Amino acid sequence: MTEMSDHPAIVRLRVELDAAWKSICTLGGLADDARGRVVAELRAAVPDVASRAALEAGSEAAVAEISRFAEAEVVRAEVRQAGTVVPSTELWDDIVHTAAEAAVARR
C-alpha cells in the first residue's frame, strides 16, 4: 500500500506548491504587470489544487503537505500589488493559508 504522501493528488499538490514557492521567491525581479498576473494565478491555482488533492487523497494528507511548505522561507521582497506594497512573506502566508482552508472546506 502506498503512503498518502505518494498519492498522485498529493504529488500534484507538492509540485504546485513548489512552483508557487519558487514564483514567490522571484517576484521582485518581474515587471509590475507580470508580477500581478503571477500573484493572481498563484492565489487561484494553489487553493484549487489543494481542494482537489483533499477530495482525492483526504484533507489530512493535503493539509500535511501544505504545512510542510508553509514552513519554507521565501526571499524577502516588497511586491507592489494593486497600488500597495506587500511583503513577499505575507503573500506566501496568504497563499498557503488559503490553500489549507480550501483543503478542509466541504463542497
Side-chain angles (χ1 to χ4, degrees), residues 1-76:
M1 183 170 178
T2 63
E3 292 282 327
M4 272 304 174
S5 64
D6 294 334
H7 190 285
I10 298 302
V11 172
R12 282 191 301 273
L13 176 59
R14 185 176 307 128
V15 168
E16 187 71 27
L17 287 163
D18 184 57
W21 179 82
K22 289 174 181 171
S23 296
I24 291 291
C25 289
T26 62
L27 282 177
L30 297 177
D32 288 348
D33 59 337
R35 189 179 308 121
R37 286 192 304 273
V38 168
V39 170
E41 174 65 22
L42 294 176
R43 288 183 186 274
V46 177
D48 182 56
V49 173
S51 177
R52 291 171 190 258
L55 286 172
E56 293 179 32
S59 294
E60 189 174 305
V63 170
E65 191 64 29
I66 294 164
S67 295
R68 263 186 359 93
F69 275 86
E71 295 173 6
E73 289 188 37
V74 295
V75 173
R76 296 183 191 277

Side-chain angles (χ1 to χ4, degrees), residues 70-94:
E71 295 173 6
E73 289 188 37
V74 295
V75 173
R76 296 183 191 277
E78 292 187 342
V79 178
R80 186 173 310 280
Q81 185 182 20
T84 61
V85 176
V86 179
S88 57
T89 53
E90 188 176 312
L91 284 172
W92 180 243
D93 288 345
D94 183 49

